[in-house]
Amino acid sequence: MNHHDNHYHNDDDDLIINGVPMGRRAFLGMLSGAVAAGTLMSPSWSWAQAGGQATLTVSAPANPSSLDPATGGSGSDHVLLFPMYDTLVNWNPATLSATPGLAQKWSFPDPKTLVLELRPGVTFHDGTPFNAEAVKTNIDRSRTAEFSNIRQDLSSVDQVEVSGEHVVTLHLKNPDSALPLILSDRAGMMVSPKALADNNNRVDRNPVGAGFMRFQKWDDGSEVAMTRYADYNGPNKLAVGAISFKIITDSATRLRSVMSGQAQMAYHLDGRQKQMIERLPTLQGFADPTIYCYQFYMNMARKPLDDVRVRQAINYAVDRETFVRVAMAGAGEPAYMNLPKSHWAYDPETAKLYSHDPDKARALLKEAGHADGIELDLRGYNDQSSVQMQEVLMEQFSKVGIRGRFRTGTIADMSAAYFGQEKAGHMLLSAWTGRPDPSLSYSLLYSGTSYFNAGQVKPPEGFDQALLDSRSSDDQSQRQQALARVQRIVMENALVVPLAFRQSIVATTAQVQGFENNLLGKPKFNNVSLKA
């Protein structure tokens, strides 16, 4: 592991298996899993060929919601989108500060104008040239199309002007210093204008980007495959010939796929698997902090969650320290807002608002007219790790009179039912996977028209102004003060129940070279190679 911590407590009796010390339960789990893995892996799985033509096989946790950056609704999509779509701006893996991407330079000649100078000589996978017209097509589509889930990301853009073959000028409605980093996310992923024209403006299942990998196939719930784009013109090293993402929702099975050599990499592994990875000399482990936050989303349009006292009560009912210890094997940080302690915009005052206080939770429920407690329709995912989290939380809720049961399914199905038209359930136990700029996270989570605000409830007074202020300066201390106001408004009004930030835990075989984690917690594969 890159980073060790000692929170993990394992009371198993150690066994020595083929010279490798291993907990008894872990070993039994491996044995039972070997059978499951055997049935999950199709005969087409094969050992990777080493070198530049090799296929990197990656065990991924979720079927994508869409392969169109403008229409996807799941944060876990990014890992599959990044290789296919180069972004206008990139970020530094350790700090998430902006670095050049398809835009090799940018500047704000005044606070309401952003000029992007594009890298010449770039083509999309279908041969269409990448230029200022392509950027205009993409940004206009993403900010105006009815189906776009990222209109909010680009709400500050008033007009996109083609200022030259490779120069684009964004005229803004208001100053927006967050925009460069916003263009390192979905909004900056460029789709071929020809592909859009040929496919009635939708590329959900037939993506065409300008990244170092081009789309090959998507077998629903099973595999997304990509091959190297030979004409790629960019900074990423073309180190493998193909990437095959095998969709395996269960984290234990993902790890076993790497242990057995059927995949070379598995990501989004659980805290309780860290120690096992450390004990296996054939594996490389990575565990690093991220801004990925487990949380309850709340539909505040539904009773009783329309009452702030009920939402506050739920926040007081959660014992976050215990949640991290029991449900995450200690591999995480309790979350009291949407940013972790290490983040530059963390606000220690806001973090004090919701210490675990069951008495206060009961008192607030009583004050809100629910002396006998409340019954909630809870939604969550059906993988083992999610189910364990649900059990820990139900136990904590039961102590203050919050009752209900979880209905579970896959990430894609449950997220669509909760956020989409159906608006199913009061609360969804899921995660916010984070965005490079914190103002984008707050905007996406709580703005009145945002997809992730399931009830489409108008944010509290002062929120919009504080958010605007957080983008009006590129001075970090001024931004920090404005973001502290944003965070305090969010948590005082209990618009969310943040639970914990997880570590990015990745296991690879020794064959994998050049991988590094990032603070966003969404692995990129641009410099990964396989050694012979």
Side-chain angles (χ1 to χ4, degrees):
M1 293 280 169
N2 287 350
H3 298 265
H4 296 271
D5 65 46
N6 295 315
H7 301 298
Y8 192 98
H9 175 71
N10 186 352
D11 56 6
D12 283 357
D13 297 322
D14 281 341
L15 300 173
I16 305 293
I17 309 297
N18 294 334
V20 180
M22 182 173 288
R24 183 171 48 84
R25 267 185 248 149
F27 177 62
L28 293 175
M30 265 180 69
L31 286 184
S32 62
V35 178
T39 58
L40 269 171
M41 313 302 177
S42 70
S44 64
W45 283 51
S46 58
W47 291 90
Q49 182 188 0
Q53 294 307 311
T55 295
L56 173 70
T57 305
V58 180
S59 292
N63 194 42
S65 60
S66 164
L67 293 177
D68 182 338
T71 63
S74 170
S76 54
D77 295 348
H78 286 74
V79 179
L80 286 76
L81 299 176
F82 281 138
M84 294 189 289
Y85 295 103
D86 262 14
T87 46
L88 288 170
V89 175
N90 280 324
W91 35 252
N92 178 298
T95 63
L96 297 184
S97 57
T99 61
L102 286 168
Q104 53 190 359
K105 278 188 199 166
W106 59 88
S107 59
F108 283 96
D110 65 70
K112 289 168 69 173
T113 307
L114 172 61
V115 178
L116 303 167
E117 295 179 39
L118 309 177
R119 197 167 72 228
V122 175
T123 54
F124 291 99
H125 302 156
D126 58 6
T128 306
F130 168 75
N131 52 26
E133 286 289 353
V135 174
K136 179 174 168 55
T137 300
N138 273 273
I139 292 184
D140 281 344
R141 170 181 182 256
S142 296
R143 72 191 183 88
T144 59
E146 197 56 39
F147 55 74
S148 169
N149 283 336
I150 52 173
R151 278 179 292 172
Q152 188 68 35
D153 300 30
L154 296 165
S155 58
S156 65
V157 177
D158 187 35
Q159 210 185 348
V160 185
E161 178 189 326
V162 173
S163 311
E165 176 66 18
H166 293 104
V167 183
V168 184
T169 304
L170 304 185
H171 299 284
L172 310 181
K173 295 172 192 164
N174 44 264
D176 191 356
S177 54
L179 202 49
L181 273 175
I182 288 172
L183 296 175
S184 74
D185 206 80
R186 286 179 181 274
M189 293 180 182
M190 295 290 107
V191 183
S192 161
K194 179 176 184 300
L196 293 173
D198 290 349
N199 292 282
N200 200 21
N201 215 19
R202 300 293 292 262
V203 291
D204 305 61
R205 301 200 68 96
N206 44 359
V208 182
F212 64 100
M213 284 285 157
R214 65 190 296 173
F215 176 70
Q216 186 187 1
K217 67 170 180 174
W218 176 8
D219 294 337
D220 242 331
S222 171
E223 183 185 12
V224 176
M226 310 167 187
T227 54
R228 179 161 71 176
Y229 177 45
D231 293 329
Y232 172 73
N233 176 11
N236 298 322
K237 294 176 194 162
L238 300 176
V240 293
I243 303 179
S244 165
F245 290 92
K246 304 286 185 183
I247 313 300
I248 301 176
T249 56
D250 181 69
S251 151
T253 312
R254 280 203 301 288
L255 177 56
R256 282 193 295 269
S257 72
V258 181
M259 291 162 68
S260 67
Q262 289 172 300
Q264 288 87 43
M265 181 183 292
Y267 64 95
H268 288 188
L269 296 171
D270 292 340
R272 62 179 182 273
Q273 295 170 320
K274 267 175 76 172
Q275 205 172 56
M276 193 190 295
I277 298 167
E278 287 166 359
R279 289 177 179 195
L280 286 167
T282 53
L283 297 189
Q284 305 178 105
F286 302 81
D288 297 275
T290 73
I291 55 175
Y292 183 112
C293 186
Y294 289 109
Q295 64 180 45
F296 271 115
Y297 290 82
M298 294 196 279
N299 185 335
M300 291 172 286
R302 294 189 60 167
K303 288 183 183 303
L305 298 181
D306 58 341
D307 188 323
V308 64
R309 293 167 298 187
V310 172
R311 303 196 301 268
Q312 289 170 336
I314 297 169
N315 267 287
Y316 282 118
V318 175
D319 178 353
R320 293 167 172 86
E321 301 275 349
T322 299
F323 178 82
V324 169
R325 200 171 59 248
V326 177
M328 300 171 70
E333 173 190 328
Y336 297 92
M337 66 184 89
N338 290 106
L339 294 174
K341 277 183 190 166
S342 56
H343 198 281
W344 61 268
Y346 178 79
D347 182 42
E349 289 306 307
T350 300
K352 293 176 189 164
L353 283 175
Y354 295 105
S355 52
H356 179 222
D357 193 338
D359 291 338
K360 204 158 184 173
R362 278 189 291 269
L364 278 162
L365 287 178
K366 190 175 173 190
E367 195 185 313
H370 306 289
D372 296 330
I374 54 171
E375 183 94 24
L376 295 176
D377 176 358
L378 302 167
R379 305 294 168 123
Y381 306 136
N382 57 6
D383 62 282
Q384 188 187 355
S385 169
S386 295
V387 170
Q388 192 179 3
M389 288 182 182
Q390 292 156 19
E391 287 167 359
V392 171
L393 291 163
M394 287 313 297
E395 167 71 16
Q396 296 183 1
F397 284 169
S398 70
K399 292 178 180 162
V400 304
I402 300 171
R403 298 177 298 274
R405 72 178 189 90
F406 275 94
R407 294 182 200 193
T408 63
T410 65
I411 292 178
D413 288 348
M414 300 312 285
S415 299
Y418 184 80
F419 295 113
Q421 302 226 325
E422 195 183 335
K423 307 286 182 201
H426 285 106
M427 305 208 299
L428 173 70
L429 174 57
S430 176
W432 178 248
T433 62
R435 293 293 184 272
D437 192 278
S439 70
L440 182 58
S441 284
Y442 284 99
S443 166
L444 290 174
L445 286 166
Y446 309 115
S447 293
T449 55
S450 172
Y451 176 78
F452 297 102
N453 176 354
Q456 305 274 293
V457 171
K458 200 176 157 200
E461 196 179 336
F463 174 87
D464 287 336
Q465 186 60 49
L467 196 61
L468 205 59
D469 292 348
S470 80
R471 294 178 172 192
S472 298
S473 165
D474 52 9
D475 179 282
Q476 189 157 302
S477 66
Q478 284 183 29
R479 296 202 66 205
Q480 189 175 9
Q481 285 173 27
L483 282 163
R485 275 165 50 216
V486 174
Q487 291 171 96
R488 195 158 184 91
I489 290 168
V490 167
M491 291 315 299
E492 280 177 345
N493 290 279
L495 306 184
V496 63
V497 187
L499 299 167
F501 298 98
R502 80 166 176 199
Q503 294 181 341
S504 173
I505 300 176
V506 176
T508 76
T509 64
Q511 213 184 354
V512 174
Q513 307 286 300
F515 175 76
E516 64 176 329
N517 257 327
N518 57 62
L519 186 59
L520 197 59
K522 300 178 182 183
K524 287 188 174 184
F525 306 94
N526 27 351
N527 294 317
V528 172
S529 62
L530 290 170
K531 77 174 173 190

